[in-house]
């Protein structure tokens, strides 16, 4: 093999990365624990840490997008943790009603779609419009279309955010108590009842952790142990992933058996 090929190993490692999502082992899940939540945090943090090192070592000034890997990580742990009669589909093109609205993750039990999940790292560019009569009108419309196209109850359509930042402090305060440094009880009003941020803001990326005075994080990085990452995971969970699993598993049997109209 030519040295010009051997000098660069990214294709080999990239293939291994993508192949790792296809593993079919199942997890024995304790829904009262946060073990899977901590595992998700761990892998996200390790991948973002690798991205930080890459930007420093390769002199890359803008980070790669992480959003689609986040979507695949969530799908992987859904597949690994849900019972074997559930199947996971990513961005199916159409539901039973032949609509064109694609959910990020669609979950079937048997042959029936029973749960839909929209995945975002943060709320991103789809921020609420404070001047509108209904600041979250787009979210309502999106859920209505998904419900119609996939014949899934709106009760079983949610948003999973990696974190609750990128809006404003009022939005963040709906989910996290900054004074007590712990999650707040879930709200029942829309859209907050639909939004499930997994982690506290800017904690999954070591680039944004507090660093010593004078530290130039665009030019250097710190050494981080797996133990430190796991310790931070325990203290920065906003919504346990296990809570979301419980919601999916307990979809009423009547909805699972209901046939499309």
């Amino acid at each position: 093999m030519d040295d010009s090929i051997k000098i660069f190993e990214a294709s080999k490692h990239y293939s291994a990365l993508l192949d790792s999502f296809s593993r079919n082992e199942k997890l024995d899940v304790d829904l009262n624990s946060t073990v899977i939540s901590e595992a998700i945090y761990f892998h996200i943090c390790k991948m973002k840490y690798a991205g930080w090192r890459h930007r420093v070592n390769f002199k890359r000034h803008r980070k790669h997008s992480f959003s689609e890997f986040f979507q695949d990580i969530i799908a992987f742990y859904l597949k690994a943790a849900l019972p074997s009669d559930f199947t996971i589909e990513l961005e199916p093109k159409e539901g039973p009603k032949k609509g064109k609205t694609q959910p990020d993750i669609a979950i079937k039990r048997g042959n029936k779609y029973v749960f839909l999940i929209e995945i975002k790292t943060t709320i991103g560019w789809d921020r609420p419009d404070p001047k509108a009569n209904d600041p979250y009108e787009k979210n309502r419309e999106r859920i209505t279309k998904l419900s119609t196209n996939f014949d899934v109850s709106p009760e079983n359509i949610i948003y999973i955010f990696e974190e609750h930042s990128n809006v404003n402090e009022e939005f963040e305060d709906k989910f996290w108590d900054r004074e007590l440094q712990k999650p707040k009880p879930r709200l029942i009003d829309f859209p907050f009842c639909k939004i499930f941020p997994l982690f506290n803001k800017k904690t999954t990326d070591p680039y944004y952790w507090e660093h010593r005075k004078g530290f130039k994080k665009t030019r250097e990085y710190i050494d981080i142990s797996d133990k430190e990452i796991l310790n931070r995971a325990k203290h920065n969970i906003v919504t346990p992933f296990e809570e979301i699993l419980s919601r999916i598993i307990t979809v009423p049997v009547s909805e699972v058996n209901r046939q499309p109209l």
Side-chain angles (χ1 to χ4, degrees):
M1 186 178 290
D2 192 277
D3 286 346
S4 61
I5 293 178
K6 291 192 292 184
I7 194 174
F8 186 62
E9 295 187 317
S11 60
K12 177 178 71 175
H13 295 304
Y14 188 66
S15 293
L17 168 62
L18 296 186
D19 288 346
S20 70
F21 286 102
S22 298
R23 296 182 63 163
N24 292 316
E25 293 94 331
K26 285 288 187 179
L27 291 170
D28 185 11
V29 183
D30 178 0
L31 295 177
N32 294 313
S33 76
T34 58
V35 174
I36 297 180
S37 302
E38 293 167 34
I40 293 172
Y41 182 102
F42 176 84
H43 289 297
I44 290 173
C45 191
K46 293 276 283 190
M47 292 171 77
K48 290 187 176 183
Y49 179 45
W52 181 16
R53 298 197 311 272
H54 170 67
R55 294 197 302 279
V56 171
N57 294 331
F58 201 59
K59 293 180 171 53
R60 192 180 212 284
H61 292 269
R62 186 176 181 181
K63 66 173 62 178
H64 291 113
S65 172
F66 186 74
S67 58
E68 290 185 331
F69 276 120
F70 177 60
Q71 178 179 333
D72 283 4
I73 290 169
I74 296 303
F76 174 85
Y77 276 100
L78 287 169
K79 181 180 71 169
L82 289 172
S84 57
D85 57 336
F86 286 87
T87 54
I88 312 299
E89 297 180 1
L90 281 78
E91 302 187 40
K93 291 185 178 180
E94 60 182 33
K97 301 298 183 67
K98 309 299 182 184
K100 295 182 179 180
T101 306
Q102 291 179 261
D104 291 330
I105 296 177
I107 302 174
K108 279 183 172 179
R109 193 165 196 175
N111 294 319
K112 173 76 172 66
Y113 288 107
V114 295
F115 212 93
L116 306 178
I117 303 175
E118 295 285 86
I119 302 289
K120 294 179 179 290
T121 49
T122 67
I123 204 167
W125 298 105
D126 198 20
R127 295 184 181 93
D129 181 2
K131 297 180 181 179
N133 291 331
D134 182 355
Y136 295 96
E137 182 178 2
K138 290 182 181 179
N139 302 90
R140 292 183 193 275
E141 291 178 351
R142 175 74 173 172
I143 289 173
T144 298
K145 287 180 180 179
L146 287 171
S147 175
T148 300
N149 293 347
F150 283 82
D151 193 31
V152 171
S153 167
E155 294 293 318
N156 300 327
I157 303 174
I158 66 171
Y159 286 80
I160 291 180
F161 288 5
E162 180 188 341
E163 55 172 82
H164 50 71
S165 67
N166 207 24
V167 185
N168 52 42
E169 288 188 354
E170 181 182 0
F171 182 86
E172 295 166 13
D173 288 344
K174 303 289 187 182
F175 304 100
W176 186 259
D177 189 318
R178 282 177 287 170
E179 182 178 348
L180 299 177
Q181 285 296 292
K182 68 176 187 178
K184 288 184 174 179
R186 288 200 56 80
L187 298 174
I188 60 173
D189 53 319
F190 188 91
F192 309 108
C193 61
K194 291 292 184 185
I195 296 173
F196 293 75
L198 296 183
F199 307 113
N200 194 18
K201 70 171 187 175
K202 298 191 182 300
T203 61
T204 58
D205 191 341
Y207 181 86
Y208 294 108
W209 294 356
E210 289 187 12
H211 303 292
R212 68 180 185 274
K213 187 176 181 180
F215 181 78
K216 303 293 184 182
K217 60 185 181 180
T218 58
R219 301 178 186 175
E220 56 184 323
Y221 50 84
I222 58 174
D223 291 328
I224 302 172
S225 68
D226 290 354
K227 182 178 179 180
E228 180 177 2
I229 293 173
L230 288 169
N231 183 58
R232 286 178 180 262
K234 292 179 184 295
H235 296 97
N236 284 289
I237 295 170
V238 177
T239 305
F241 189 72
E242 290 79 357
E243 177 184 327
I244 296 169
L245 291 171
S246 180
R247 286 174 178 263
I248 298 168
I249 293 170
T250 56
V251 170
V253 174
S254 59
E255 293 187 22
V256 175
N257 294 332
R258 182 163 54 95
Q259 296 299 314
L261 299 175

